Amino acid sequence: MLEDLSHHILDIAENGVNAGADEISVEIDDSAERLLFSVKDNGRGMTEEMVKTVVNPFYTTRTERRVGLGLPFLKQLAELCGGTFSIDSEPGRGTVVTATFLKSSIDLPPLGDIPSTLMTLFIGNPNISWKYTHRRNGKEFTVDSKELREALGGGNPFLEPAIALGVREFIKTNIDELYEKPGKTL
């Protein structure tokens, strides 16, 4: 099983890459009662039959292993945590995978290292436009890889270690600020 939610996000995002997407967005909405995340892509999409099949742990489109466990485990985990899981997909229109988790569940996994997950996606897939939005307590942080690339001179600036570390720190700082208590300064 994947250890935290950032690993699930990475797995789903890579599914979008494999489906030919050139735009992928990740959203997290962390409220007092629940945690929701969704990954949306504009890839090939899936038929209704295929959507039913991909939550089967013995099905995969990958050739390097016989089973696909990411989506079935995520579905099981969301339901175990009193939440929901859905896949909305249509051929030629892309896919949206959404999972919610009740924060009161003892089985809720940690969110994980979102900044490193995003940098892995930015570096490994420079031709994809990645958009990340994180909401918490009425505050919101959004980062767009296309805008960052343009601001940093084009190409794949994330391959430069100093830039990659700086962008990772920028993302981390902004996510951390969403979790600061009102009136508290660092």
Side-chain angles (χ1 to χ4, degrees), residues 27-168:
E27 293 190 22
I28 293 178
D29 190 344
D30 189 354
S31 70
E33 295 83 32
R34 71 171 171 80
L35 177 71
L36 173 144
F37 84 76
S38 69
V39 180
K40 178 180 179 180
D41 70 60
N42 68 346
R44 282 188 294 278
M46 297 181 281
T47 65
E48 191 174 322
E49 287 300 313
M50 191 171 186
V51 168
K52 291 176 186 173
T53 306
V54 296
V55 293
N56 176 342
F58 302 106
Y59 174 82
T60 186
T61 58
R62 296 181 181 169
T63 56
E64 68 269 9
R65 67 176 190 237
R66 293 181 152 174
V67 294
L69 298 175
L71 291 173
F73 277 157
L74 179 60
K75 180 180 187 297
Q76 179 184 22
L77 182 60
E79 292 169 353
L80 181 67
C81 293
T84 61
F85 173 84
S86 67
I87 300 175
D88 182 22
S89 190
E90 187 178 324
R93 309 230 346 131
T95 301
V96 180
V97 176
T98 304
T100 64
F101 307 84
L102 290 182
K103 301 270 289 280
S104 59
S105 174
I106 194 166
D107 295 311
L108 177 67
L111 192 51
D113 189 353
I114 294 293
S116 292
T117 296
L118 292 174
M119 291 312 302
T120 298
L121 294 169
F122 291 4
I123 292 167
N125 304 282
N127 296 325
I128 293 179
S129 177
W130 297 99
K131 185 172 183 181
Y132 176 77
T133 303
H134 195 126
R135 294 178 195 87
R136 178 160 166 80
N137 296 331
K139 296 188 283 184
E140 180 177 296
F141 165 67
T142 299
V143 65
D144 183 317
S145 69
K146 185 177 179 182
E147 290 176 5
L148 283 174
R149 277 194 310 271
E150 289 170 5
L152 295 168
N156 189 357
F158 310 118
L159 290 175
E160 175 64 40
I163 291 176
L165 288 172
V167 171
R168 185 195 175 285

